[in-house]
Amino acid sequence: MKTATPRPPEELTPQARARRQEIASQAAGPLRPPADIEYSADEHDIWVAVNEALAPVWQRHAADEVLAARDRLGLPRDRLPQLTEVSTLLDQLTGFEYRAVPGLVDKLDFFASLGRGLFLSTQYVRDGASPLYTPEPDVIHEVIGHANCLADEQLAELHRLAGQAMLRVETEVARQFLADVFWFSGEFGVVRQHGRPKGYGAGLLSSYGELRWFPTHAELRPLDVVRMGCLAYDIDHYQPVLFIADSLTQVLDVVGGFFESVTDGQVAAALAA
Ligand SMILES: [Fe+2]
């Protein structure tokens, strides 16, 4: 999802844009199970290439719980899975289900679904000309990044609590604050393990470049929900500042606890301080 040199979808080749549209048009939406997509051999090859590239980087830079969850989930590595298969695998672990949407959705819709245990996912695949790069979430980010995390009980709970918090608050200011806290946890969260920073956020985990880059280049600040919600960030570049926890249990205590009880008034007070 995160890349050093983003390229907007309108700069895709006409062929890539048409294929993306073809897949997006089959999105069944949040209310129904996803339709199976007939992926091409080239699209399966992109999945295989990204999996192969990420495997050693994950071994080195992914949190222990994520590696264990990946092994429990057991996504195929030799072909792209259908979202229905992802749901079936997750159902046995944490109960999360995947639903297909045609592209980026409004944050309230996205998080509201998370709160109900539904992950709204795209189904199209990034451009094969640069398989380790995508300017926006594609099925590889949604599944390699998020589904492996959603196979972990604590990370699934973090996603759920973020969604439920988004439904509870009423102001756009509070909703954006929650989305920003989630950005620095569910998407770009880092935990210290074995004396080293390890990624547990789906954005980091699905970025071959950034997952290798962050341990030596990002400034790692202590977990702090107010600072996470207040820090400006650029979604089109590697994150120069990340927030590191001592454990995933601490993430669930601090960030999950915040999502569990936050109110519009608390966010307003945090922003005014
Ligand atoms: Fe994501």
Side-chain angles (χ1 to χ4, degrees), residues 150-166:
L150 290 170
D152 175 79
E153 198 58 62
Q154 291 188 105
L155 291 175
E157 185 64 4
L158 184 73
H159 280 71
R160 265 196 206 94
L161 290 172
Q164 290 163 3
M166 193 68 83

Side-chain angles (χ1 to χ4, degrees), residues 145-193:
H146 284 285
N148 282 311
C149 290
L150 290 170
D152 175 79
E153 198 58 62
Q154 291 188 105
L155 291 175
E157 185 64 4
L158 184 73
H159 280 71
R160 265 196 206 94
L161 290 172
Q164 290 163 3
M166 193 68 83
L167 282 170
R168 202 172 52 250
V169 299
E170 294 175 348
T171 60
E172 174 56 27
V173 168
R175 286 178 185 144
Q176 188 58 52
F177 192 92
L178 297 184
D180 294 344
V181 172
F182 186 78
W183 177 263
F184 285 114
S185 53
E187 292 288 357
F188 287 90
V190 176
V191 63
R192 187 173 289 106
Q193 290 177 338

Side-chain angles (χ1 to χ4, degrees), residues 1 110 119 137 141-142 146 182 187 202-203:
M1 174 180 176
F110 177 77
F119 189 92
H141 165 75
E142 318 273 39
H146 284 285
F182 186 78
E187 292 288 357

Side-chain angles (χ1 to χ4, degrees), residues 26-28 32-37 82-84 100 123:
Q26 296 174 62
R32 292 179 295 146
D36 285 354
I37 302 295
Q82 299 293 339
L83 295 188
T84 47
Q123 289 173 294

Side-chain angles (χ1 to χ4, degrees), residues 52-272:
E52 284 180 357
L54 279 175
V57 187
W58 271 46
Q59 219 53 45
R60 201 169 155 77
H61 299 302
D64 289 344
E65 290 88 344
V66 172
L67 294 173
R70 174 200 63 185
D71 293 345
R72 279 198 301 277
L73 186 63
L75 291 169
R77 297 189 189 189
D78 59 345
R79 64 175 175 82
L80 262 161
Q82 299 293 339
L83 295 188
T84 47
E85 294 179 79
V86 178
S87 294
T88 301
L89 293 170
L90 278 174
D91 184 48
Q92 302 157 14
L93 298 171
T94 61
F96 254 91
E97 271 184 59
Y98 268 55
R99 297 289 165 90
V101 289
L104 277 175
V105 292
D106 177 80
K107 65 177 173 296
L108 184 55
D109 294 336
F110 177 77
F111 281 97
S113 293
L114 281 188
R116 294 193 285 269
L118 299 174
F119 189 92
L120 303 187
S121 170
T122 53
Q123 289 173 294
Y124 51 79
V125 189
R126 63 195 58 184
D127 191 345
S130 50
L132 300 180
Y133 158 83
T134 179
E136 59 183 341
D138 68 343
V139 70
I140 290 178
H141 165 75
E142 318 273 39
V143 174
I144 292 182
H146 284 285
N148 282 311
C149 290
L150 290 170
D152 175 79
E153 198 58 62
Q154 291 188 105
L155 291 175
E157 185 64 4
L158 184 73
H159 280 71
R160 265 196 206 94
L161 290 172
Q164 290 163 3
M166 193 68 83
L167 282 170
R168 202 172 52 250
V169 299
E170 294 175 348
T171 60
E172 174 56 27
V173 168
R175 286 178 185 144
Q176 188 58 52
F177 192 92
L178 297 184
D180 294 344
V181 172
F182 186 78
W183 177 263
F184 285 114
S185 53
E187 292 288 357
F188 287 90
V190 176
V191 63
R192 187 173 289 106
Q193 290 177 338
H194 316 294
R196 293 185 173 170
K198 307 277 184 171
Y200 71 84
L204 261 186
L205 292 165
S206 59
S207 171
Y208 172 79
E210 191 161 4
L211 191 56
R212 290 185 307 158
W213 178 90
F214 90 88
T216 49
H217 291 79
E219 178 191 339
L220 302 174
R221 297 183 184 170
L223 203 61
D224 182 321
V225 286
V226 171
R227 290 177 194 275
M228 291 157 81
C230 292
L231 183 65
Y233 57 91
D234 180 350
I235 66 169
D236 291 331
H237 291 87
Y238 290 172
Q239 300 302 301
V241 175
L242 297 172
F243 292 87
I244 189 164
D246 295 328
S247 65
L248 275 197
T249 303
Q250 189 197 22
V251 173
L252 205 56
D253 284 351
V254 174
V255 184
F258 165 76
F259 286 143
E260 215 162 10
S261 61
V262 66
T263 62
D264 290 280
Q266 286 171 344
V267 171
L271 291 171

